[in-house]
Amino acid sequence: MTVIEVPTDAYAAADWLAGRHPWVRQLVERIAGSIDAHPGWLDVVTAAVNGQLADAAAWEAYEARHPAPDDDDAFWEWHAHGPKTSAEVQAFGVMSSGEKNLVRLVATLGGRVAWSPHDVSFDQRGAAVLADWLAIVHAQLPASLYPATSDDALIVRLAAVSDAVNGEVRAVSR
């Protein structure tokens, strides 16, 4: 039986997800750079997710005041005069919708972000991340909320989703 320690600290939990899921690591590093060299990467990712919403609103307002021209050269000049945003927000903004859904899920560990169950449209890799994210949420709640026999049983069922990705998990220690 393998016992996995599920971190309850948000930053440790984010590092744990990035360590268990290479896809998470790849995506967050596209935004924050090397997570090994940047211990505050979760804050950067969370700010990028929230900043993208502000960036989209700023562009909408800019386009309402200054409609985009049809001419290619004029368009790029118009674009250059539009709202400016950080490289991190730009890196998040160009991701696919599936990549954004996964990054938003990870960013929930860093603070409040717009995320909904409607954002759950993952492939097998994403389902494995979601199972581990649920284990993190479960571990953050007091054990007294759960009947004694349900604690590991829930995590074992969730971990079955990610066995093919991360190896077999039979119990979680809290």
Side-chain angles (χ1 to χ4, degrees):
M1 178 186 305
T2 302
V3 176
I4 300 293
E5 287 287 332
V6 178
T8 57
D9 173 77
Y11 293 90
D15 286 338
W16 182 73
L17 278 179
R20 285 177 56 83
H21 302 279
W23 191 37
V24 169
R25 183 183 189 98
Q26 291 166 6
L27 293 175
V28 300
E29 285 186 341
R30 284 171 45 191
I31 297 168
S34 172
I35 63 176
D36 293 331
H38 196 323
W41 68 265
L42 181 58
D43 292 332
V44 173
V45 169
T46 302
V49 168
N50 287 327
Q52 200 266 332
L53 294 173
D55 182 58
W59 272 101
E60 187 176 318
Y62 177 69
E63 290 180 78
R65 288 188 318 272
H66 309 285
D70 292 330
D71 176 75
D72 279 350
D73 291 334
F75 172 83
W76 290 111
E77 184 177 333
W78 169 86
H79 190 273
H81 289 96
K84 306 297 183 245
T85 191
S86 71
E88 295 83 8
V89 170
Q90 289 175 1
F92 176 71
V94 299
M95 290 182 170
S96 72
S97 61
E99 291 170 337
K100 285 180 180 177
N101 288 343
L102 186 66
V103 170
R104 278 195 295 270
L105 178 67
V106 173
T108 63
L109 299 171
R112 295 190 185 275
V113 297
W115 188 85
S116 155
H118 293 287
D119 292 327
V120 177
S121 59
F122 301 128
D123 60 9
Q124 183 182 10
R125 295 176 303 173
V129 175
L130 179 62
D132 281 347
W133 180 86
L134 290 168
I136 291 166
V137 171
H138 178 74
Q140 289 182 350
L141 297 172
S144 62
L145 294 178
Y146 301 101
T149 58
S150 72
D151 193 41
D152 282 349
L154 173 63
I155 301 306
V156 169
R157 286 194 308 270
L158 292 173
V161 174
S162 65
D163 281 353
V165 175
N166 298 313
E168 199 169 341
V169 176
R170 287 288 163 236
V172 174
S173 174
R174 297 198 302 143

